Every structure is written in C-alpha cells, then in structure tokens.
C-alpha cells in the first residue's frame, strides 16, 4: 500500500477518538520515526501500539497544529483538523512504506484534513478587510458570528520551535503566524495557500508538495507564483519580527508600558500620541473598526473608556499581546475581557486588534460564544486578577 495516506483496515480506537490523543501524547526529545531513527517505535506503532504512535507524532504535533492554524485562521478549527490528522494517520500507518519521511507524510495528511475543513466554511478575516472604517461618531456595531473572524494564536503553543523549519523555508515559524500574513493567506484559493505554506514556511520541495497535494510539479510552481503575488498585493508580508528586532527589548518595553499606562489612566491624548497616522483599532466579533488617532481617540472617549482597564503581557501570532481585564459589576472582580494583539511600525503602534470575550460583551448587551477564561488560559493568562 502506498504512502499516499490510503487508510488501512485498522479503525480508530477509543483512545484515539475525541480529544484524547492530543491530550495524552507522551513527550519526547529529538525527532521520531525516520526523522530521528525511531524504526523500532514505528514498527510498534504499525502493530497497533498506541503509546508508540503518540511518541512518534509528539515531535511534530506543535508544528502540525500551527500549520492547520495558518491554513484555517482558527485555533478551534486547527484543533479539529489536527485531531482528524492523527486519527487518519493512525488508521493509515500500516500502509506507510517509508518512501517519504514521517514528517512529510504527516504534513500530507494534515494539509488534506485542513483542505477538507476549508470546503465546509467561508474564509475568516479581520474587521479591517470586512468593511470600511466606521465613520465619525459611529459605534462598532453588533457582533457577527465568531466563525467570521480570524482567531489569535498563542506563541506558547510553538514552544521553542520559532526558527526556520528547514534551510529552504522563507519565513520562520513565528513570522508566518503574524496576523497580517494569516489574513492575506485566507484570501488565496485553498490550493495556493497550501502550496505557499508547504514551500515558504515548511521548506518542502515542489516534488514533495506535488505528492502531498496530488498534483504535478508544474501546477505547484504555478500555484506558488500566484500565491506569492497575492500575498504581496495584500501587504501580507510578515513585518513584526523585524520591527521588534529593530526596536530592541528596552524600547519595546517602554512603548508597551506607555500604551498600558495611557489605557489604564483613560488618557486619550497620550494614547493618540503613540499611534501611527493610519493606525487601526478593531474589536472582533464587532465588525466596526477605526482608523487614525482622532477616530480611535473619539471612540475611546465616548465608549471604550466607559470601562476601567487592567492589563497583563502575553504573546500572540508572533506579536506583542495584552490580556485585558475589566471590572465585573456583579462581583467586583477583574475578568478576562479582551486579548489584544499589537502591530508596530517604527516606534509607534500601527494596529490594535481586540479579540473581545463573552464576559465583556454580555455587559454590553451582546451575545458571544468566546469564553474569556478559556481563551486566556491558552495564552497563559489568569481568568481574573486582583
């Protein structure tokens, strides 16, 4: 049986169903399978040893999850696609003949699992691409379904794997998670999106990608050319890693501290002075967004600063992020209210994407399925603070 991922007769066992496999993976150091000399583990896994299989796939789990996220722009969809990948891989493992590396074989399965998800839903985006900026005096609107929007991705999911996946890769693992890049990816046809990620982020050859996507090398080459142009045209080239390196840790820290101080003091003037002239301020799942210091300041003065805010630092999508807390009037506790991802340009803030939670939106009279405590836990943030 070929490595193409034809499923063997082995069904998914009870332990591999639901979230169990992801939650119970055994941690290992180094590679696995052909990539790390684990032929004995591979043989055991082929014979039905679930622990051996978990050990084999753990070395690739974080990368596979991030790959599914880049394809789908949703943390939850990525979890579902990864789980489906592991179930498919378990079923197909007896037919794995070793003609490719275990890593390439797993990425083939993961990419096709993600492509199956893409077929069932509309693309996700950010408010700045959903519609024009809100006019002066306008509110941010009623929330749209969470499936409309790109979701933030916690850097901590990647662990230490923030470098190039291979010498052939063009983007490193963190810059390829930046919000602008992920948003630009979603505008590409799914096959172009997959080809670009497999080549530019993961470093697979055109021949390997052709096998993974079930197409020809010329088709892959053509898809890559169109995808690269599409990303460039949408200003989706990653830039935040370079911006952070250019500023250096000390100046980045001062900028974030000044931003937080202005927010917590509700100082519109100071905050406006930290923004670029074309800065954007968005709050998914609300569709409205604001452009420029004057519009942002007017919104905050008339609406945003009706809440008191406190903040804790985090990282998301390879960018600076803040866990934002407001006071729940019913309990007096500071509760998880928004995860903010910041985009920098020079020494100023060019964008703030506030991913609002149900805890805050319910107080504003809106419905939301985004549980703040659950989302904050993914970013290593507490659900409440003192």
């Amino acid at each position: 049986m070929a490595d193409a991922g034809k499923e063997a007769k082995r069904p998914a066992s009870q332990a591999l169903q639901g979230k169990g496999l992801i939650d119970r993976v055994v941690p290992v150091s180094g590679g696995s399978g052909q990539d790390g000399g684990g032929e004995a583990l591979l043989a055991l896994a082929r014979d039905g040893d679930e622990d051996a299989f978990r050990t084999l796939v753990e070395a690739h789990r974080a990368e596979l999850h991030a790959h599914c996220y880049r394809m789908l722009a949703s943390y939850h969809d990525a979890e579902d696609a990864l789980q489906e990948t592991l179930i498919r891989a378990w079923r197909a493992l007896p037919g794995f003949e070793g003609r490719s590396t275990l890593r390439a074989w797993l990425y083939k399965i993961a990419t096709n699992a993600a492509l199956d998800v893409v077929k069932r839903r509309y693309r996700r985006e950010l408010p700045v691409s959903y519609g024009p900026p809100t006019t002066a005096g306008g509110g941010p609107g009623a929330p749209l379904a969470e499936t409309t929007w790109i979701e933030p991705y916690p850097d901590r999911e990647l662990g230490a794997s923030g470098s190039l996946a291979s010498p052939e890769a063009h983007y490193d693992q963190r810059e390829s998670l930046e919000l602008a890049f992920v948003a630009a990816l979603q505008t590409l046809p799914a096959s172009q999106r997959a080809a670009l990620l497999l080549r530019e982020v993961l470093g697979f050859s055109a021949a390997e990608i052709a096998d993974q996507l079930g197409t020809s090398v010329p088709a892959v080459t053509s898809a890559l050319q169109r995808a690269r142009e599409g990303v460039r045209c949408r200003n989706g080239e990653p830039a935040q890693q370079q911006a952070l390196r250019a500023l250096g840790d000390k100046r980045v820290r001062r900028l974030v501290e000044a931003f937080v101080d202005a927010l917590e003091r509700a100082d519109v003037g100071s905050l406006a002075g930290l923004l670029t002239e074309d800065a954007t301020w968005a709050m998914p799942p609300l569709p409205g967004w604001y452009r420029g210091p004057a519009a942002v300041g007017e919104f905050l003065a008339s609406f945003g600063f009706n809440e008191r805010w406190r903040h804790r630092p985090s990282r998301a999508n390879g960018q600076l992020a803040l866990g934002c807390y407001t006071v729940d009037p019913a309990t007096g506790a500071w509760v998880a209210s928004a995860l903010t991802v910041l985009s920098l340009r020079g020494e100023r803030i060019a964008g703030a994407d506030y991913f609002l939670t149900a805890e805050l939106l319910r107080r504003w009279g809106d419905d939301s399925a985004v549980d703040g405590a659950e989302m904050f836990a993914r970013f290593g943030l507490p659900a409440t603070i003192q």
Side-chain angles (χ1 to χ4, degrees):
M1 191 180 296
D3 291 346
K6 291 182 180 178
E7 292 189 354
K9 299 297 184 183
R10 176 166 65 188
S13 70
Q14 185 67 31
L16 299 180
Q17 294 172 354
K19 299 292 185 185
L21 180 58
I22 295 177
D23 295 339
R24 294 173 52 202
V25 168
V26 179
V28 295
S29 59
S32 42
Q34 289 179 311
D35 304 329
E39 293 297 334
L41 274 176
L42 187 55
L44 287 170
R46 280 189 178 124
D47 288 339
D49 187 320
E50 293 175 12
D51 287 335
F53 177 74
R54 293 188 189 97
T55 303
L56 279 174
V57 300
E58 170 60 14
H60 308 285
R61 192 199 70 83
E63 279 190 34
L64 290 169
H65 190 266
H67 176 61
C68 292
Y69 171 79
R70 296 181 190 100
M71 284 288 298
L72 302 169
S74 162
Y75 184 91
H76 292 95
D77 286 351
E79 284 193 315
D80 291 342
L82 177 59
Q83 183 63 24
E84 178 64 20
T85 297
L86 299 180
I87 291 173
R88 291 183 188 183
W90 168 251
R91 287 172 170 164
L93 191 59
F96 175 63
E97 297 172 351
R99 294 188 299 176
S100 66
T101 64
L102 179 67
R103 176 176 179 267
W105 183 74
L106 288 170
Y107 269 107
K108 177 176 185 173
I109 298 172
T111 300
N112 283 281
L115 288 171
D116 287 344
V117 175
V118 171
K119 294 174 185 175
R120 301 194 297 267
R121 64 154 175 80
Y122 296 107
R123 70 178 174 92
R124 291 175 180 261
E125 52 192 316
L126 294 170
V128 293
S129 64
Y130 186 81
T134 303
T135 56
L144 302 182
E146 276 73 21
T147 51
T148 304
W149 308 114
I150 291 172
E151 295 175 351
Y153 192 86
D155 279 23
R156 66 204 299 260
E157 290 281 337
L158 277 179
S161 64
S163 58
L164 291 174
S166 80
E168 291 75 27
H170 183 66
Y171 305 122
D172 73 33
Q173 295 289 291
R174 294 198 192 285
E175 67 183 355
S176 59
L177 288 170
E178 291 180 13
L179 278 179
F181 184 65
V182 171
L185 286 173
Q186 305 313 301
T187 68
L188 301 176
S191 59
Q192 291 182 25
R193 190 186 318 167
L196 186 73
L197 291 172
L198 290 168
R199 178 59 183 166
E200 304 284 63
V201 176
L202 300 167
F204 289 112
S205 69
E208 288 174 310
I209 297 168
D211 174 68
Q212 289 163 327
L213 298 181
T215 188
S216 65
V217 171
V220 168
T221 302
S222 176
L224 283 171
Q225 291 173 342
R226 294 194 299 271
R228 288 164 180 152
E229 182 61 26
V231 167
R232 280 194 295 269
C233 287
R234 292 171 178 84
N235 296 318
E237 289 289 329
Q240 291 307 296
Q241 306 311 301
Q242 297 95 307
L244 291 169
R245 285 192 293 267
L247 272 183
D249 291 345
K250 185 177 293 186
R251 285 191 293 174
V252 166
R253 186 167 53 251
R254 283 204 300 264
L255 176 59
V256 174
E257 287 173 350
F259 182 73
V260 167
D261 179 65
L263 288 170
E264 296 187 353
R265 290 188 297 105
D267 186 339
V268 172
S270 293
L271 189 140
L274 300 172
L275 304 178
T276 63
E277 287 303 309
D278 59 349
T280 61
W281 195 281
M283 298 154 288
L286 307 182
W289 61 282
Y290 301 87
R291 185 189 294 279
V296 171
E298 181 181 353
F299 162 73
L300 292 174
S302 62
F303 189 79
F305 284 156
N306 291 338
E307 303 282 349
R308 295 163 54 208
W309 296 90
R310 293 291 181 269
H311 303 83
R312 294 291 183 270
S314 187
R315 294 290 296 242
N317 295 83
Q319 300 175 223
L320 299 173
L322 294 167
C324 307
Y325 299 81
T326 61
V327 175
D328 181 351
T331 65
W334 293 87
V335 297
S337 301
L339 192 286
T340 304
V341 183
L342 300 177
S343 299
L344 309 185
R345 191 189 312 139
E347 296 192 33
R348 295 191 178 188
I349 293 167
D353 289 280
Y354 275 71
F355 295 89
L356 305 182
T357 71
E359 286 88 330
L360 178 63
L361 287 169
R362 280 195 294 264
R363 298 208 306 271
W364 293 356
D366 295 318
D367 292 326
S368 172
V370 180
D371 181 85
E374 177 188 330
M375 180 170 72
F376 273 40
R378 295 199 294 272
F379 292 86
L381 294 166
T384 61
I385 58 174
Q386 299 298 319

